[in-house]
Amino acid sequence: MRIEGNLLTCWSHGCGIDVHLPLMLGFAGVLALLLLGTLAALILPRAQPGKWSDLGPRMRSWWVIALLVGGALLAGWQAFTILMAVISFLALKEFLTLAPTRKEDRLIVLLAYLTIIVNYGLIFTDTLFQDSYNIYLVFTPVYAFLVMAATMAWIGRTDGFLSTVGIVHWGVVVCVYNIGYIAFLMRTPDAEAPAGAAGLVFFLLLITQLNDVAQYCWGKAIGRNKITPNVSPNKTWEGDRRLADDGRRVLFPRALLHPAFAGARGDHGAYRAAGRIFWRHYDERDQTRSWREGYIAPHPRPWRGARSAR
Amino acid sequence: MLQIFRRYLLMLIVRPLARLMFGLDVIGAENLPKDGPAIIAANHNSHVDTVVLLCLFPSRLLPKLRPVAAADHFDKGGFGSWFSRNIIGIIPIKRSGAERGEDVLAGAKEALARGEILVIFPEGSRGAPEEMTKFKGGVARLAESAPEAPIVPVYLQGAGRSLPKDAKLLVPFNTTAVVGKALYWRGDYRALVDELRAKIEALKAEAPPLRWK
């Protein structure tokens, strides 16, 4: 093992992996949190039976998420992009399974799956041609939008045209286009990011996930008034206030983030993508929440929750 | 040799692929039989149904799982016939053209006697996507031949969207299998078929809402 600047090089079996030191510390922190959580999942249900019954399954899914994402981050942008493409596919399939579709819409649904290949393919071609990022920006919102609507017209499906085109395109934007930005972040040149591209992705995922964890903990501890009882019953105003006022400002001061993103010099696509993601995430708390619900958190199937509540 | 090949093909390729494409959500997995002989009776909308049912079981039981399938569709000779019989492990059943006095269910009855697990679709055909048609009586005759075998009702949802009858494109959607408590042969053909149908209808109500027109 060798440390140079903030770059940590691990040698094993003749091939080296470069890891930035801050990222390594981040991984260590996540590992510590996971171990702490696992311990809590063993102790708390015994101390207060019934109240913490969902902590065990939550810890299990966090372990799986951490191992998968951590492994992909270490393996490089190719592995991470493939992981995100698979996640997009699973998310879109879940979305289209629950959304109202008709048997005549199967072709359009198949086209929606094909956008995953183009969307993530454009991330792979980022260094091959300069406009890859610009094409990425418009491909789903403009071209997929038009092609899917045009295909509906070509095959003569005019009944329920708007509902099908609207639902399917909405699903593609949420499940494929938006998640794709996380993978695009991995293509930031190392010189542009203090902790490497993987560090940026790690940071994005960490604040998103910590938001969820803190909401869960504060909500359980002091939460009373639910923000959206019909949508996400564990989110409370108390948890949110506490999180916003103390946690985020102490943990992630804007001043620390600013130098990293405000000084955008290059015209590099991934670099601009980074700026977009972070400012959106940082400034609009509500959006952050819907982000988390839709993308990363392993929420149980909504209909299951509804049934057990009955 | 072929059995080992079949087992690993299903375990290492078919099951992971099916999980990725169809999700394979199971409700009531504890109701599945742990060993043969048994009869798994499910509604039928798609060829994907058979794949989903095969993937529900631990790979240890795969050599015992025998889908009962229409001879006029799956046993037409050539490679298709070899594949259906040896890899999917079907027991072919003549739906029409049987001779007088010939027992079309003989093969299935022998399999039950050997302690195998039959996978059958009492509707006899796939029909319109996500709709259940009349049940045929063969399931009751099989139950009579092996009264000790539990008949496990399964409601399958979603496969009819992925690959409906006559469709050429396979489109991934999540499927859900709802497994109910077993019922047994009690000496009446009609009563058994009606009870089975009622059970599967009841399981349908437990499945996630399906907004499919």
Side-chain angles (χ1 to χ4, degrees):
Chain A
M1 202 191 273
R2 182 162 52 89
I3 299 178
E4 236 174 71
N6 73 354
L7 204 64
L8 187 78
T9 308
C10 307
W11 290 92
S12 64
H13 306 292
C15 80
I17 309 172
D18 288 333
V19 189
H20 288 268
L21 203 55
L23 183 60
M24 219 57 222
L25 292 175
F27 279 154
V30 169
L31 190 68
L33 280 178
L34 282 173
L35 290 173
L36 202 70
T38 311
L39 206 66
L42 288 176
I43 297 166
L44 284 176
R46 273 177 222 171
Q48 290 169 296
K51 195 180 178 188
W52 301 93
S53 55
D54 55 344
L55 191 59
R58 254 169 201 266
M59 283 319 299
R60 262 196 299 282
S61 24
W62 279 327
W63 271 108
V64 174
I65 294 171
L67 290 178
L68 265 179
V69 174
L73 283 177
L74 286 178
W77 67 266
Q78 295 94 336
F80 191 79
T81 305
I82 290 169
L83 177 72
M84 284 295 139
V86 172
I87 290 175
S88 278
F89 172 73
L90 295 177
L92 185 63
K93 182 161 59 80
E94 186 79 33
F95 177 91
L96 291 170
T97 299
L98 290 170
T101 45
R102 301 166 301 167
K103 45 182 171 282
E104 296 85 359
D105 300 336
R106 293 173 73 253
L107 181 68
I108 306 298
V109 169
L110 196 67
L111 278 183
Y113 288 122
L114 291 182
T115 61
I116 298 175
I117 297 171
V118 182
N119 193 76
Y120 285 91
L122 283 166
I123 298 176
F124 272 93
T125 56
D126 185 44
T127 39
L128 292 185
F129 58 102
Q130 219 186 344
D131 285 333
S132 194
Y133 176 69
N134 292 323
I135 298 173
Y136 181 94
L137 276 184
V138 292
F139 171 73
T140 305
V142 179
Y143 292 94
F145 175 81
L146 292 175
V147 168
M148 280 195 273
T151 311
M152 284 284 282
W154 284 330
I155 60 172
R157 290 297 309 165
T158 49
D159 290 344
F161 175 87
L162 263 185
S163 68
T164 298
V165 168
I167 285 168
V168 174
H169 190 255
W170 204 87
V172 170
V173 169
V174 167
C175 303
V176 184
Y177 180 69
N178 289 1
I179 296 187
Y181 276 105
I182 308 174
F184 224 137
L185 204 52
M186 275 296 271
R187 307 237 45 193
T188 313
D190 261 7
E192 310 266 12
L200 290 179
V201 176
F202 176 82
F203 183 61
L204 169 71
L205 298 181
L206 186 77
I207 32 179
T208 311
Q209 193 60 45
L210 275 186
N211 185 10
D212 193 47
V213 177
Q215 268 290 357
Y216 177 82
C217 296
W218 287 122
K220 287 256 180 201
I222 57 166
R224 281 217 164 70
N225 300 304
K226 291 171 177 176
I227 301 172
T228 49
N230 295 330
V231 183
S232 187
N234 286 338
K235 306 289 177 290
T236 57
W237 283 114
E238 290 79 4
D240 196 66
R241 189 70 54 77
R242 179 62 72 99
L243 189 69
D245 289 354
D246 313 344
R248 215 172 293 172
R249 248 174 239 168
V250 175
L251 276 172
F252 311 109
R254 192 178 280 243
L256 267 185
L257 281 173
H258 231 280
F261 301 107
R265 286 166 312 194
D267 196 32
H268 193 272
Y271 196 74
R272 277 188 282 152
R276 282 167 75 98
I277 287 184
F278 274 94
W279 289 121
R280 195 192 290 173
H281 182 90
Y282 199 75
D283 282 337
E284 294 170 41
R285 213 186 311 150
D286 288 340
Q287 213 152 348
T288 312
R289 201 174 302 123
S290 59
W291 249 52
R292 172 171 35 72
E293 306 293 356
Y295 297 175
I296 298 147
H299 275 263
R301 309 264 154 88
W303 48 267
R304 280 211 171 156
R307 185 142 32 95
S308 62
R310 249 187 273 140
Chain B
M1 182 62 210
L2 201 62
Q3 270 306 328
I4 298 172
F5 175 70
R6 176 184 182 234
R7 182 171 168 177
Y8 281 95
L9 181 82
L10 286 170
M11 218 167 83
L12 300 176
I13 298 172
V14 178
R15 198 194 311 232
L17 263 181
R19 267 206 97 93
L20 187 70
M21 302 286 273
F22 311 120
L24 304 183
D25 211 356
V26 193
I27 300 171
E30 67 280 359
N31 294 329
L32 288 169
K34 307 282 180 291
D35 208 347
I39 300 172
I40 311 294
N43 58 319
H44 197 24
N45 287 122
S46 166
H47 290 323
V48 171
D49 289 339
T50 314
V51 178
V52 171
L53 285 174
L54 289 183
C55 290
L56 291 185
F57 287 87
S59 60
R60 162 180 74 78
L61 284 178
L62 280 177
K64 289 194 169 184
L65 280 169
R66 307 297 302 272
V68 177
D72 53 280
H73 202 110
F74 292 97
D75 201 19
K76 289 188 281 200
F79 175 75
S81 205
W82 177 87
F83 187 83
S84 303
R85 277 169 179 264
N86 293 295
I87 301 299
I88 320 261
I90 67 156
I91 295 171
I93 294 279
K94 280 187 194 168
R95 283 196 289 199
S96 58
E99 282 167 31
R100 211 167 235 283
E102 181 187 352
D103 186 3
V104 292
L105 295 175
K109 285 177 182 166
E110 281 163 26
L112 274 182
R114 283 196 300 269
E116 294 178 341
I117 302 173
L118 292 185
V119 173
I120 70 167
F121 301 110
E123 288 170 86
S125 172
R126 284 166 295 163
E130 305 298 315
E131 277 171 35
M132 205 146 69
T133 52
K134 230 177 120 228
F135 278 20
K136 304 205 186 299
V139 57
R141 287 199 279 145
L142 286 173
E144 186 192 19
S145 81
E148 76 284 6
I151 305 158
V152 181
V154 179
Y155 178 71
L156 295 173
Q157 179 172 278
R161 295 203 279 186
S162 285
L163 191 68
K165 196 177 182 176
D166 300 326
K168 297 204 171 44
L169 289 172
L170 187 141
V171 180
F173 281 103
N174 281 340
T175 59
T176 305
V178 194
V179 187
K181 294 230 180 313
L183 47 139
Y184 290 87
W185 169 250
R186 280 205 294 265
D188 185 348
Y189 294 104
R190 200 63 246 164
L192 183 80
V193 174
D194 288 345
E195 191 188 350
L196 182 63
R197 201 194 152 86
K199 281 234 179 183
I200 295 183
E201 290 277 9
L203 294 175
K204 184 178 178 176
E206 283 180 40
L210 185 68
R211 298 178 193 83
W212 170 257
K213 283 171 254 166

